């Protein structure tokens, strides 16, 4: 089946995670996957596997899950150490008709216990390390059964003991049935469980299907995003259907990343925005680890013009571009725009792009009865078949954000007369008297190259406090800061902290509300 035919089929019938490896192997079973780590569930599989081998492993693990008692329609929470085998295991769970629930390994035991309770007796697939973390959680009461990827624990089934189980016929979820559940970052409380269907997951492939179609030849795609995020499953499906070799990265240490890029020479990378900020210093590496990359792609969070410009200039590929996608877990990739080598440094970081033909539709709704504009930003809303179906066990909470076909994202902004969407801030992160905290961060990071991170949060009196991190935690030059910050007289004095002290989500977003609360508490103690 040709790529365009696969795309039409997915748009019509939906994306079925349990069939992706099998379909990709039928197209080209020799496509290579390279990992920078070993698989916990298959420690002998090695770090270089063909798609045919991966498809065989998914089929094998599906048989083991069936033998463990997992059945169609049951939810199976996957909570284990960060590893690509999360994708393999979720695909196997989908292959038996179960609904994989991807829980970030960064979640603490209390949060996991609360989510297991909300999931109404799910299966739990975990490992020894996470079982130790969950020692105080009443798993016998909260789960249907506990399955471990390796090892042996009383009261659990081990996938290692079920090797050789009879293979089963794949079971597919219906077009609009729950097929995968992920969760939000939980920055405002307990994470919400986002329900995806074959329809919603299939629709979300379209924007980047078109981006990958720009590639004239097969090149390695490097992926460094959370293994439990819905974006991982879309990125893998796209790369495999396009028969692209894939480099799957768990490592984020810049020196290790440089070695991986030099050894594998990717032409396309999909990476967390905050990882790219951490990797900026590699643009000064004489070995030029980014030289081979023609397409940079990112979503999840704001990416600053300085970062994009440095990365593009470090590429030696003609026509290199940075494609930024704006979206969220509930809506998928909503709008996007390309940035180019000679103009990225002049870009307005708040301009997140245009709706793509045949994809999501965007509108901005007034917050106060007046027409949304640059000086009066409104609520950003999205409509298309890629919207998540619901929040599991929280339909009323979901419905408060849904207006017929439109989903309110929680972000505020406006659209220009040319249709470009400008996103200022999350509504909950808005600071009185400041148009956009993200805009301040864009400008200041562009002016002060010694900054590695800048986050503007409200202080005890709602004053905007810049929290800064510098390269190697060197002391901030206050004279340089004051000169650069002159255009933002609303800002309070900066507070410098080590970058490692920033509270982050599983996708490395800074938890602004948690950071603000922490600072307010510290400042109130001093006063």
């Amino acid at each position: 089946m040709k790529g365009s035919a696969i795309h039409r089929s997915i748009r019509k019938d939906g994306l079925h995670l349990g069939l992706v490896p099998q379909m990709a192997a039928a197209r080209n079973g020799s496509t290579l996957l390279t990992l920078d780590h070993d698989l916990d569930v298959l420690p002998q599989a090695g770090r270089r596997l063909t798609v045919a081998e991966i498809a065989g492993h998914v089929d094998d693990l599906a048989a083991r899950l069936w033998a463990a008692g997992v059945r169609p329609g049951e939810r199976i929470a996957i909570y284990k150490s960060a590893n690509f085998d999360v994708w393999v295991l979720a695909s196997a769970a989908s292959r038996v008709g179960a609904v994989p629930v991807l829980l970030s390994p960064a979640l603490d035991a209390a949060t996991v216990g609360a989510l297991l309770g909300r999931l109404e007796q799910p299966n739990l697939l975990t490992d020894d390390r996470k079982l130790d973390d969950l020692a105080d959680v009443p798993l016998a009461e909260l789960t249907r059964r506990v399955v471990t990827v390796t090892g042996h624990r009383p009261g659990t089934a081990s996938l290692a003991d079920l090797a050789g189980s009879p293979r089963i016929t794949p079971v597919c979820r219906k077009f609009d049935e729950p097929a995968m559940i992920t969760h939000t970052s939980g920055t405002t409380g307990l994470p919400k469980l986002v329900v995806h269907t074959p329809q919603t997951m299939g629709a979300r492939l379209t924007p980047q299907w078109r981006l990958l179609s720009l590639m004239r030849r097969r090149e390695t795609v490097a992926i460094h995003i959370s293994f439990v995020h819905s974006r991982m499953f879309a990125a893998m499906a796209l790369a495999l259907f396009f028969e692209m070799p894939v480099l799957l990265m768990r490592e984020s240490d810049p020196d290790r990343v440089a070695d991986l890029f030099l050894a594998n020479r990717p032409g396309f990378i999909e990476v967390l925005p905050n990882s790219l900020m951490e990797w900026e210093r590699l643009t000064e590496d004489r070995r030029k680890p980014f030289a081979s990359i023609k397409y940079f792609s990112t979503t999840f969070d704001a990416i600053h013009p300085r970062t994009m410009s440095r990365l593009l200039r470090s590429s030696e590929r003609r026509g290199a571009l940075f494609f930024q996608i704006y979206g969220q877990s509930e809506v998928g990739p909503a709008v996007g725009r390309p940035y180019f080598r000679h103009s990225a440094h002049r870009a307005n970081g708040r301009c997140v792009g245009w709706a793509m033909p045949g994809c999501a539709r965007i509108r901005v709704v007034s917050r106060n009865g007046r027409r949304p504009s640059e000086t009066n930003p409104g609520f950003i809303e999205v409509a298309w078949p890629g919207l998540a179906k619901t929040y599991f066990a929280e339909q009323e909470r979901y419905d408060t954000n849904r207006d017929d076909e439109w989903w309110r994202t929680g972000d505020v902004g406006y659209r220009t007369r040319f249709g470009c969407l400008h996103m200022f801030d999350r509504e909950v992160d808005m600071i009185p008297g400041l148009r956009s905290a993200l805009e301040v961060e864009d400008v200041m990071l562009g002016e002060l190259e010694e900054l590695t991170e800048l986050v503007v949060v409200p202080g005890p009196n709602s004053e905007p406090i810049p929290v800064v991190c510098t390269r190697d935690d060197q002391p901030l030059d206050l004279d340089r800061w004051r000169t650069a910050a002159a255009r933002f007289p609303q800002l309070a004095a900066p507070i410098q902290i080590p970058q490692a002290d920033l509270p982050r989500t599983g996708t490395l977003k800074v938890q602004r509300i948690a950071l603000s609360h922490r600072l307010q508490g510290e400042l109130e103690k001093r006063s």
Side-chain angles (χ1 to χ4, degrees), residues 319-464:
L321 68 83
F322 196 114
F323 200 83
Q324 178 180 347
I325 295 175
Y326 164 78
Q328 60 180 207
S329 297
E330 293 89 337
V331 304
V335 303
R337 63 161 295 180
Y339 295 86
F340 299 94
R341 180 181 288 124
H342 300 298
S343 59
H345 65 288
R346 298 193 303 269
N348 181 338
R350 298 301 86 234
C351 173
V352 293
W354 289 264
M356 291 162 273
C359 300
R361 290 179 290 129
I362 305 293
R363 71 179 184 183
V364 180
V365 178
S366 176
R367 299 163 55 225
N368 52 17
R370 293 187 288 120
R371 182 178 179 180
S373 66
E374 183 174 3
T375 56
N376 183 48
F379 295 116
I380 298 172
E381 296 187 348
V382 178
W384 73 314
L387 294 181
K389 182 178 179 68
T390 187
Y391 291 142
F392 188 84
E394 293 188 290
Q395 186 65 43
E396 289 185 8
R397 190 175 187 180
Y398 177 88
D399 290 343
T400 60
N401 285 333
R402 188 78 185 251
D403 179 13
D404 192 20
E405 61 181 337
W406 293 94
W407 175 265
R408 181 161 292 181
T409 65
D411 295 332
V412 297
Y414 75 102
R415 296 183 76 179
T416 70
R417 60 192 181 96
F418 300 109
C420 181
L421 178 66
H422 286 236
M423 191 275 281
F424 283 167
D425 287 312
R426 296 284 294 170
E427 183 187 9
V428 295
D429 295 329
M430 295 180 71
I431 302 174
L434 195 67
R435 184 171 77 161
S436 167
L438 292 173
E439 181 180 51
V440 173
E441 294 161 16
D442 286 339
V443 172
M444 296 299 287
L445 284 166
E447 292 287 333
L448 301 174
E449 63 180 15
E450 62 268 32
L451 297 184
T452 57
E453 184 62 275
L454 167 62
V455 187
V456 180
V457 297
N461 299 309
S462 296
E463 72 280 21

Side-chain angles (χ1 to χ4, degrees), residues 258-277:
D259 291 339
L260 287 167
F261 283 176
L262 290 166
N264 293 276
R265 290 297 181 185
F268 184 113
I269 65 172
E270 173 139 3
V271 186
L272 297 170
N274 284 287
S275 291
L276 289 178
M277 289 186 68

